[in-house]
Amino acid sequence: MNTIKKAQFHLTLLNGGITTLILIIMTLGYLFISENNMMQSRLSSYPRDIYPIASYIEQQDIISSTWLSQLESNNRYYISLMDNGAEFLYNVNKELIVDDRQQVLGAAWKLYHDDSVPKTTHTLSLNSGYVSYIMDYKTDTSVSSSTYYCFIISIEKNHSMLEILLTAPLEDIKEQITRQRFLFLGIITLALIAIWIFAWFFTGKLLNPIEANRLRQNQFIAAASHELRTPLAVILSCAEAGLTKNEIPELITIKSESLRTSRLLGDMLTLLSCDTGHLDIQPESTPLDTLVLNACEAFENIAAAKHIRISASLPDSALPDCMCDSERIMQVLTILLHNAVSYTPEGGKICLSVAYTNSLHRANRHFEIRISDTGIGISDEEKSKIFDRFYRSEKARSDKNHFGLGLSIAYDIITAHHGTIAVTDTPGGGTTFIITL
């Protein structure tokens, strides 16, 4: 993923995330207020039935079972009447006979006599009043998962106390609330999909001019790098020809700086390939143990000139081949070994090792290459920055052969192989780079 795509991804996350958060908060707020209003509207509708019922009972000397049955049928109540503590039995409309009717009424009377259940008391007249409370599975586990709004009307009449229990099921309002939630869930889901798609294309549109400018810049760098290689090659060949005749200091300087500039141009072209997504990776079956030995031998003379001992550590059993681009992996090993030799003092040690983890799960099988040195080490603060482009630690700024690009190139190459590269401290002092493929 190049820099522009990363920027588009992060901007989409930012814009879409903030919009999603605001939309969810607004939706939850609306649902909370709407559901409370719906429930309060339903609860407030029941007391309007209480007044005519209480008035009718006060005026009538005889309460007929027909009237009670019709009251249940018309208003969908469960009704129970107590006359001085004795239950008044009547024929219930068969349409209202359900398995839990008696269970609900029994539980409601039980809660009525339970002082720990919160209740609201209302006065209707001098001789009458009613108590209201909610009954659900939280207050009485015997009532399955239903919720009921309960009213008990108390009327003192003819030296007797009549108590009428009315239980109103609230399942219909809860089903209405559930349907509203699912409706809003569907609407919000579609809205969020549209918002994220819009955020992706909108941020891409905003970044188009930046991407066009970046492409022009990359084209210029590529063209300039290729054009500079030719005169550099001429200068280098002339300097080498002159040095075969005489050891002239000026020619030595020209050769050194030409080689240094040539390496910089090579690094810039490699980074350009990474940025444009055209880094040439050609995986092939590669024996990593042979690759590590070749890298170690290539740096033996350079290490010996600084009196640094370099060695390779291989497992006793033969390693299977690794599918990778051998030239690119060799480029990574060269970068890491060059750094190790540069920052390891005389008399130090550098060790290369390779190992293979053979897990039962194919996804967990991997190769691990370690490059350890006993050099100056890297501070914890710098460990998180060393793979950034053009970053050089304070210890490296005096070395003109390091441009702060090598580790960045190594990181891009290993990432293109779907591997990882990390840095840690060598026990006893120094630095260890760990490559996992």
Side-chain angles (χ1 to χ4, degrees), residues 225 229 261-271 331 409:
S225 299
R229 278 189 161 186
T261 306
S262 179
R263 284 196 302 271
L264 175 59
L265 290 175
D267 289 347
M268 290 176 66
L269 288 173
T270 301
L271 290 175
Q331 184 180 358
I409 292 172

Side-chain angles (χ1 to χ4, degrees), residues 45-85:
S45 68
Y46 290 119
R48 290 196 291 267
D49 294 337
I50 301 300
Y51 291 94
I53 292 172
S55 178
Y56 176 84
I57 295 173
E58 283 184 329
Q59 294 172 8
Q60 299 295 323
D61 292 329
I62 298 174
I63 302 174
S64 68
S65 62
T66 302
W67 177 75
L68 291 173
S69 181
Q70 288 177 348
L71 187 62
E72 280 203 5
S73 176
N74 293 336
N75 296 281
R76 299 298 175 183
Y77 289 121
Y78 290 162
I79 298 177
S80 176
L81 187 146
M82 291 285 184
D83 186 0
N84 285 331

Side-chain angles (χ1 to χ4, degrees), residues 52 57 60 129 143 224 240 255 308 332 355 366 391 399 403:
I57 295 173
Q60 299 295 323
V143 191
E240 288 177 345
K255 179 182 178 181
I308 297 171
V332 172
H366 62 271
Y391 177 79
D399 189 345
F403 306 102

Side-chain angles (χ1 to χ4, degrees), residues 232-248 250-259:
L232 270 176
V234 174
I235 293 171
L236 188 58
S237 62
C238 291
E240 288 177 345
L243 285 173
T244 55
K245 301 176 182 178
N246 296 296
E247 288 289 332
I248 303 173
E250 290 78 5
L251 291 178
I252 296 175
T253 302
I254 290 173
K255 179 182 178 181
S256 174
E257 291 302 314
S258 298
L259 289 172

Side-chain angles (χ1 to χ4, degrees), residues 310-324:
I310 185 169
S311 61
S313 176
L314 304 177
D316 295 333
S317 57
L319 292 175
D321 287 352
C322 174
M323 287 302 297
C324 63

Side-chain angles (χ1 to χ4, degrees), residues 40 43 47 50-51 111-112 114-124 128-135 149-154:
Q40 290 302 321
L43 295 182
I50 301 300
Y51 291 94
L111 290 179
Y112 172 62
D114 187 351
D115 295 333
S116 64
V117 176
K119 306 177 186 70
T120 305
T121 303
H122 309 267
T123 301
L124 293 173
S128 63
Y130 73 93
V131 173
S132 61
Y133 55 93
I134 297 289
M135 178 178 69
Y149 198 19
C150 302
F151 304 90
I152 294 184
I153 306 172
S154 302

